[in-house]
Amino acid sequence: MKNTFTKTAAVIFIASLSLAACSEKKEPTTGEKVDSAVQTSKEKMESANEKSKEAFEDAKAEASDAYADAKEEAADAYDDAKEATKEAYEDSKNKASEWMEKSKDKASEMKTDAANAMEDACEDAKSQMDSDDTDC
């Protein structure tokens, strides 16, 4: 009987394996589930990698644009400061020239006034000394 029971159990086991193999709806095995999970993780990581690369490229482009804008603004500010300095220099030069001209005119007036005062003093002195020629 043992032999018959063993043979019957073996036949049933083999028959159930055959039927399971022929079934259209097969339940995934643990290995297949692990393979599927690994494949899904791989796809998600590749997608995340692509998104990360795109974000990096976008940030790089924005940083490059910001640098170019800052560089242009700095160049404009430099040009403005240079022009303002040049204008201030020209204004100072013109003012100094005007002051020098006024000083020169004032010095000339003072020289003339001093010469006239000396001439008047000389003429007064000659006049007081009863000189015939009072011109100096």
Side-chain angles (χ1 to χ4, degrees), residues 38-117:
V38 167
Q39 184 62 32
T40 301
S41 295
K42 181 181 174 185
E43 289 169 0
K44 288 184 178 183
M45 289 191 65
E46 287 173 350
S47 175
N49 185 32
E50 286 300 315
K51 288 179 182 176
S52 175
K53 284 180 182 177
E54 290 172 7
F56 172 76
E57 290 300 323
D58 290 347
K60 183 178 166 184
E62 287 180 25
S64 179
D65 290 346
Y67 172 77
D69 290 346
K71 184 177 177 182
E72 185 177 329
E73 288 176 14
D76 290 345
Y78 172 79
D79 289 341
D80 290 346
K82 183 178 174 182
E83 187 63 31
T85 302
K86 183 178 178 182
E87 288 174 7
Y89 169 76
E90 289 298 323
D91 287 348
S92 296
K93 191 169 108 175
N94 290 338
K95 288 287 183 190
S97 182
E98 288 175 18
W99 292 339
M100 286 180 66
E101 193 61 37
K102 285 180 181 179
S103 295
K104 184 179 171 184
D105 291 345
K106 189 67 173 175
S108 179
E109 286 177 23
M110 289 172 66
K111 178 182 165 186
T112 302
D113 289 347
N116 287 339

Side-chain angles (χ1 to χ4, degrees), residues 14-31:
I14 292 172
S16 60
L17 285 178
S18 298
L19 287 173
C22 293
S23 172
E24 288 183 26
K25 187 174 182 186
K26 179 179 152 185
E27 289 294 320
T29 63
T30 303

